[in-house]
């Protein structure tokens, strides 16, 4: 029976940890996407990202761009909670208990009798200790949470700023098979630009400047895009819109 309870407890702990990690991944991904769109001058509420995309983006920030921050947070957590766990486990050992009792018998005062404090004082001390430990844990957690959000937000802003430099100066990396620059046919008019983001019904476009209009960021219905052309080495690949 005790073994079943132990397994159930471990499963509960794993479920709580999984829910916590998933929540942090989602918040991290959402913060990144919001900062990225805001830097482009687009209200993030217009572009609804699905949960899977947000989680993947959050994981990407953690394990690719934010690997050093994650390692620091993990090492800090291990450094704080490992000693507490080791003390808790060692205290269960009969040898440790016996050794502790012998040391206490040797070191305790012989000439005076120690008086036990009143029960209510013992209870208050216990509550104060528990509250202090809980407060310290929450403080550390909130600090790491703030750092995570700040890091995710800064990564989104940095990506938008770097993309703008590349797009506006026409210096986009040519590592891919096709250029990120697109020839977009919008309501029958062909324009050059880049696709920044999209939802089920809207698309966010960065359009290059022309003789008629300056550069601009547009949020338009997907239905108004008739055709998208991606260029590679002077050839054109068509995809119906």
């Amino acid at each position: 029976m005790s073994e079943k309870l132990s397994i159930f407890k471990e499963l509960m702990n794993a479920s709580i940890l999984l829910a916590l990690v998933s929540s942090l991944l989602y918040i991290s991904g959402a913060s990144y996407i919001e900062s990225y769109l805001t830097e482009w001058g687009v209200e993030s509420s217009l572009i609804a990202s699905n949960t899977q995309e947000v989680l993947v983006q959050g994981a990407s920030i953690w394990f690719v761009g934010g690997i050093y921050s994650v390692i620091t947070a993990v090492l800090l957590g291990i450094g704080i909670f490992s000693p507490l766990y080791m003390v808790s486990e060692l205290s269960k050992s009969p040898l440790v208990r016996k050794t502790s009792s012998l040391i206490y018998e040797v070191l305790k005062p012989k000439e005076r009798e120690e008086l036990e404090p009143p029960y209510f004082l013992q209870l208050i001390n216990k509550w104060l200790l528990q509250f202090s430990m809980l407060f310290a844990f929450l403080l550390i957690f909130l600090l790491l949470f703030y750092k995570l959000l700040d890091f995710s937000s800064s990564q989104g802003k940095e990506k938008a700023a770097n993309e703008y430099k590349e797009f506006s100066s026409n210096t986009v990396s040519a590592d891919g098979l096709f250029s990120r620059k697109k020839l977009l046919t919008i309501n029958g008019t062909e324009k050059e630009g880049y696709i920044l983001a999209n939802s089920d019904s809207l698309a966010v476009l960065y359009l290059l400047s022309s003789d008629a209009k300056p550069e601009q960021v547009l949020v338009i219905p997907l239905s108004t895009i008739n055709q998208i052309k991606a260029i590679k080495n002077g050839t054109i690949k068509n995809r119906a819109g």
Side-chain angles (χ1 to χ4, degrees), residues 4 10-11 19 21 49 52 64 78 95 100 111 115 124 133 137-138 147 152 160 162 170 186 189 208 210 231-232:
K4 291 183 178 180
E10 293 297 329
L11 290 175
V21 171
S49 303
Q52 181 180 354
V64 180
I78 292 175
L95 178 61
S100 300
E111 299 179 358
L115 298 177
I124 290 175
M133 293 180 64
F137 172 79
L138 289 177
K147 289 295 184 181
S152 302
N162 290 337
N170 199 27
I186 304 172
T189 303
L208 297 172
S210 63
I231 300 174
K232 175 195 175 186

Side-chain angles (χ1 to χ4, degrees), residues 7-234:
I7 294 176
F8 178 75
K9 182 179 179 180
E10 293 297 329
L11 290 175
M12 285 293 296
N13 292 337
S15 300
I16 294 173
L17 180 61
L18 179 61
L20 177 61
V21 171
S22 299
S23 300
L24 291 177
L25 283 175
Y26 186 88
I27 293 172
S28 182
S31 177
Y32 174 89
I33 294 173
E34 180 181 4
S35 297
Y36 172 79
L37 291 174
T38 301
E39 193 72 6
W40 278 107
V42 178
E43 286 73 15
S44 59
S45 58
L46 295 175
I47 306 300
S49 303
N50 59 61
T51 302
Q52 181 180 354
E53 179 183 355
V54 176
L55 289 175
V56 170
Q57 188 62 69
S60 176
I61 295 171
W62 278 27
F63 299 108
V64 180
I67 187 68
Y68 297 109
S69 298
V70 173
I71 290 176
T72 302
V74 171
L75 291 178
L76 181 61
I78 292 175
I80 292 174
F81 295 107
S82 290
L84 297 177
Y85 177 78
M86 291 178 62
V87 170
S88 175
E89 291 298 313
L90 288 174
S91 64
K92 300 176 183 179
S93 171
L95 178 61
V96 172
R97 291 185 177 182
K98 184 177 180 180
T99 304
S100 300
S101 299
L102 291 175
I103 294 174
Y104 175 76
E105 289 295 330
V106 172
L107 297 179
K108 74 176 183 178
K110 302 291 185 181
E111 299 179 358
R112 63 178 183 180
E113 181 181 357
E114 293 188 1
L115 298 177
E116 288 287 336
Y119 176 74
F120 76 93
L121 287 180
Q122 297 182 38
L123 192 60
I124 290 175
N125 289 335
K126 180 180 178 181
W127 286 348
L128 287 175
L129 178 61
Q130 292 177 346
F131 175 79
S132 300
M133 293 180 64
L134 179 61
F135 180 77
F137 172 79
L138 289 177
L139 187 63
I140 294 172
F141 177 79
L142 290 176
L143 177 62
L144 294 177
F145 181 72
Y146 169 77
K147 289 295 184 181
L148 176 63
L149 286 184
D150 183 64
F151 178 78
S152 302
S153 177
S154 65
Q155 289 296 298
K157 293 179 180 179
E158 182 178 344
K159 181 183 178 183
N162 290 337
E163 284 187 345
Y164 176 72
K165 291 179 182 178
E166 293 180 350
F167 296 167
S168 60
S169 61
N170 199 27
T171 56
V172 180
S173 173
D175 294 338
L177 293 176
F178 291 85
S179 172
R180 284 195 61 186
K181 183 192 290 186
K182 304 295 190 296
L183 295 177
L184 303 156
T185 304
I186 304 172
N187 288 330
T189 303
E190 195 169 79
K191 300 178 182 295
E192 286 189 342
Y194 297 86
I195 301 174
L196 303 178
N198 69 276
S199 63
D200 293 336
S201 59
L202 297 175
V204 181
L205 309 176
Y206 169 72
L207 301 182
L208 297 172
S209 59
S210 63
D211 296 336
K213 292 183 179 180
E215 61 181 351
Q216 55 186 319
V217 174
L218 295 181
V219 181
I220 62 174
L222 280 172
S223 58
T224 62
I225 302 176
N226 309 119
Q227 193 177 60
I228 300 174
K229 302 177 183 178
I231 300 174
K232 175 195 175 186
N233 296 328

